[in-house]
Amino acid sequence: SGPFGGMTFSLANNFEMKVRTSDTSQTEKKIQLLNLGLSTSYNFLAKGYYAQPLSPLVVTYRTNIGGKVDIGGSSQFSFYQYDNAAGRRINKLLLSEGRLADMTNFNLSLSTSFQGKRKQQSERKRSETQVEDSVKAEQEYNSFYQQMQPPDLNIPWNLSLGFNFGITKQTPLIVSKNASLQFNLGFNLTQNWKIGFTGGYDFLQHDLVVPAITVYRDLDCWEMTLVWNPIGYLRGFNLEIRIKAPQLRDIKITKREYQNIGF
């Protein structure tokens, strides 16, 4: 809050290496090691005991291992001291105490995915134009659940895994953590039926995280999607049958029933 008149600073750098290939052409292969970014700003108009002219330093980083595992995250650092009596940071740099900054936030994520070999387009009923229209419609269509997006039946099975870890320091003495694993598994029962399972596990709470079962059926000009949440605060189901044509996707039949939020 308040006026801002200052300067922003950001720095991004890609760390890469080159290796020679085994062929006789002596060409080089570029391998990406790390994408690193830093950003902060200084507000010359910020005045007062609680003002923080120098904004927290935000550090972002991302890399990939073997083209299979994506690793990314961010960290945030504050340059100002924390006043326990006031319950907030004050306009006094940590450098006066011999320190540069305090880490107030840290996030790290790892993800990987696998899928079966894509079928030839001729094996599917949809023409190439229909598939392109469907993909475009998916990007434009906003449904109640993200799982309601129609799956790609050309892929016989798919599996994705993700791990998230985070630390947030509301104060130097109050620290909250989160650590969870997410998964998404889908496979084709037949050429027109696909089953999906999504959910996760919270390692700190020792509990499942919003598991859901998705059933998709290709009905030629129509399509059906059923999302069932067996447990959790949104326990219930969402059934939807709608027209595939992008111009008519708002024509649909929907049945929803939830036990905890009154639908």
Side-chain angles (χ1 to χ4, degrees):
S1 60
F4 177 84
M7 176 179 63
T8 61
F9 170 80
S10 62
L11 173 67
N13 193 82
N14 294 334
F15 295 90
E16 300 173 339
M17 72 176 183
K18 294 180 179 180
V19 295
R20 291 183 179 179
T21 58
S22 57
D23 56 24
T24 58
S25 63
Q26 297 297 316
T27 58
E28 295 178 334
K29 179 181 179 181
K30 184 184 295 185
I31 299 177
Q32 192 174 78
L33 300 177
L34 177 67
N35 294 339
L36 180 66
L38 310 171
S39 63
T40 186
S41 64
Y42 190 89
N43 185 6
F44 296 101
L45 302 182
K47 306 293 182 181
Y49 183 73
Y50 296 111
Q52 299 178 41
L54 186 61
S55 68
L57 175 68
V58 178
V59 182
T60 59
Y61 32 86
R62 182 167 298 279
T63 188
N64 181 277
I65 300 178
K68 290 296 184 181
V69 180
D70 289 317
I71 302 175
S74 64
S75 299
Q76 186 169 298
F77 300 87
S78 176
F79 299 100
Y80 293 93
Q81 297 180 20
Y82 187 87
D83 189 332
N84 291 318
R88 58 190 299 186
R89 295 188 182 274
I90 59 176
N91 192 357
K92 188 174 182 181
L93 293 174
L94 286 167
L95 282 174
S96 60
E97 297 180 345
R99 295 184 295 147
L100 178 61
D102 280 341
M103 185 182 72
T104 58
N105 187 277
F106 172 81
N107 290 286
L108 177 66
S109 64
L110 295 86
S111 63
T112 185
S113 61
F114 308 90
Q115 67 180 35
K117 185 177 179 181
R118 178 182 290 272
K119 298 179 181 179
Q120 296 295 327
Q121 189 63 41
S122 58
E123 298 180 23
R124 298 293 306 138
K125 294 180 181 180
R126 300 179 183 180
S127 65
E128 182 176 354
T129 303
Q130 289 175 318
V131 173
E132 292 176 352
D133 289 342
S134 178
V135 172
K136 182 179 179 181
E138 289 175 24
Q139 298 172 350
E140 297 175 349
Y141 183 79
N142 294 320
S143 63
F144 187 78
Y145 273 115
Q146 184 178 2
Q147 293 96 323
M148 296 297 282
Q149 298 286 347
D152 189 348
L153 291 174
N154 292 313
I155 300 176
W157 63 270
N158 61 276
L159 172 65
S160 60
L161 299 170
F163 175 77
N164 294 317
F165 176 78
I167 299 176
T168 300
K169 292 185 178 181
Q170 300 177 2
T171 73
L173 299 178
I174 302 178
V175 180
S176 60
K177 299 180 181 180
N178 66 81
S180 62
L181 175 70
Q182 295 83 36
F183 69 89
N184 187 340
L185 171 65
F187 58 90
N188 295 350
L189 287 179
T190 66
Q191 187 176 4
N192 296 316
W193 284 92
K194 187 154 192 170
I195 306 295
F197 301 90
T198 62
Y201 183 78
D202 191 321
F203 291 98
L204 300 182
Q205 300 295 329
H206 305 288
D207 194 11
L208 293 176
V209 180
V210 194
I213 299 174
T214 304
V215 180
Y216 177 82
R217 176 66 161 93
D218 189 332
L219 301 171
D220 197 10
C221 296
W222 295 71
E223 59 188 2
M224 180 200 74
T225 305
L226 170 66
V227 178
W228 175 43
N229 298 90
I231 61 175
Y233 65 94
L234 283 179
R235 184 166 62 251
F237 71 88
N238 188 350
L239 174 65
E240 184 175 284
I241 300 176
R242 67 188 180 199
I243 296 178
K244 285 184 186 177
Q247 299 84 355
L248 303 173
R249 288 177 72 85
D250 287 334
I251 300 178
K252 58 186 178 180
I253 302 171
T254 303
K255 172 65 176 176
R256 296 174 180 172
E257 183 174 321
Y258 301 101
Q259 296 184 17
N260 292 349
I261 58 177
F263 284 126

